[in-house]
Amino acid sequence: MQVERICVVGLGLMGGSLALALRLARRLAIPQRPFHLTIVDTNPKTRAAAGRIADFVSDDLALGVEKADLIVLATPVRTIVNVLNQLPRLRPDGCLVLDLGSSKTDICQAMDNLTANFQAIGGHPMCGKEVAGFGAATPDMFRQHTFILCPTQRTTPHMETVAHQLVADLGANPLVLPPTLHDNMVAVVSHLPYMVATALMRNAASLDDDRLWPVSSSGFRDTSRVSGTDPQMMLDILLTNKTAVLQQIAHYQSQLGEVAALIEANDEEKLMAWLTETQEAYWAYREAKRDI
């Protein structure tokens, strides 16, 4: 990577995993590439833990970014936008900027508004866990997963080169998408599944019967898993990708309405066809994932 000083703002699951992966990649690099890692985080416990991987740790954003060649923003989406709006004042000389936010339109618009001495590209690694925080971070989090890159008006050839090298260092697979298309796609495969899982968990919890959890098995566990995701992160995602999320919720409701009508009508033939088509779509999805 053609940068020597990297600042990661937000050392949660994603930012922490990125920092760990980059530190490992640099240790294995032959010859070793220069690498100075700064961490900015508001949580004192996180800052204390970050001392084992970082060269400099601070809760002061201005101090953390002042010498960075590359700033990686790994906070909730609306905080990323807020930091982007501050950068022209904090870094009047400009620098390279990448983010890890899970919705991209608002972030990429804020990147477009950066002054011309900045180079910036939107990013979103398509991986994660239902648990949050640096304690859950691992250096292999991104390995073999898709890492989406969304070019902006501030994306230069140099910024693209740096971003692709970073993705390679993480062991991830780059995929370039426009911000709006990204948001529409992740609304289907990421944000709607979260809403489905939360509705399922709330539905089960509303029964208020302690005997229910021993009855539950792997199907409930797997389907409800992402309802454990950090609420603050998801709040920002849902509000910054509202239009696409609402469209997918409406479409999902229509799917439920369709199958409910078939069950109500005891239409065995059409219900069997509906279930079979769904199973075929699932196995096509699994086959496609094997090829990636």
Side-chain angles (χ1 to χ4, degrees), residues 3-261:
V3 294
E4 296 182 2
R5 304 180 70 89
I6 300 174
C7 175
V8 177
V9 181
L11 200 70
L13 177 64
M14 287 294 134
S17 294
L18 181 138
L20 289 169
L22 290 182
R23 182 59 80 192
L24 178 62
R26 293 308 178 87
R27 285 174 180 164
L28 298 177
I30 302 174
Q32 292 254 342
R33 288 174 286 170
F35 178 37
H36 182 282
L37 177 63
T38 294
I39 299 296
V40 176
D41 198 280
T42 58
N43 188 314
K45 292 183 179 179
T46 300
R47 292 197 304 275
R52 65 186 174 90
I53 62 167
D55 301 292
F56 179 72
V57 181
S58 178
D59 62 349
D60 187 329
L61 177 64
L63 190 61
V65 303
E66 68 176 352
K67 296 180 180 179
D69 301 318
L70 170 66
I71 299 171
V72 180
L73 303 177
T75 63
V77 173
R78 289 184 293 182
T79 303
I80 291 174
V81 172
N82 181 48
V83 172
L84 286 168
N85 291 336
Q86 296 181 58
L87 282 182
R89 173 178 57 84
L90 298 177
R91 283 296 304 270
D93 54 332
C95 61
L96 308 180
V97 184
L98 170 75
D99 84 283
L100 306 182
S102 297
S103 65
K104 294 265 66 81
T105 301
D106 287 4
I107 290 172
C108 289
Q109 286 176 351
M111 287 181 171
D112 288 343
N113 292 332
L114 289 170
T115 50
N117 50 350
F118 282 91
Q119 302 177 56
I121 191 168
H124 182 199
M126 297 305 298
C127 56
K129 300 178 181 179
E130 70 276 17
V131 289
F134 182 53
T138 60
D140 61 350
M141 172 72 71
F142 308 99
R143 188 161 299 280
Q144 298 305 313
H145 288 284
T146 298
F147 194 115
I148 297 171
L149 294 171
C150 296
T152 72
Q153 293 178 20
R154 292 290 174 255
T155 302
T156 63
H158 176 59
M159 182 73 251
E160 287 184 330
T161 298
V162 169
H164 280 270
Q165 181 60 63
L166 182 142
V167 171
D169 282 347
L170 300 178
N173 304 311
L175 174 63
V176 178
L177 293 175
T180 302
L181 179 58
H182 163 278
D183 285 0
N184 287 333
M185 285 184 168
V186 296
V188 179
V189 298
S190 180
H191 306 165
L192 177 64
Y194 171 75
M195 298 307 299
V196 171
T198 54
L200 176 65
M201 179 55 69
R202 290 177 65 85
N203 187 66
S206 70
L207 296 181
D208 195 23
D209 189 329
D210 291 341
R211 295 169 297 180
L212 182 64
W213 304 133
V215 171
S216 68
S217 189
S218 58
F220 181 83
R221 179 199 64 204
D222 295 345
T223 309
S224 65
R225 181 182 61 84
V226 294
S227 66
T229 304
D230 178 23
Q232 181 60 59
M233 182 185 75
M234 291 308 306
L235 177 67
D236 278 34
I237 290 170
L238 296 175
L239 293 180
T240 57
N241 199 25
K242 179 170 66 173
T243 299
V245 169
L246 290 176
Q247 287 175 345
Q248 292 308 318
I249 289 175
H251 189 248
Y252 184 71
Q253 289 173 323
S254 72
Q255 294 287 334
L256 286 179
E258 180 180 340
V259 73

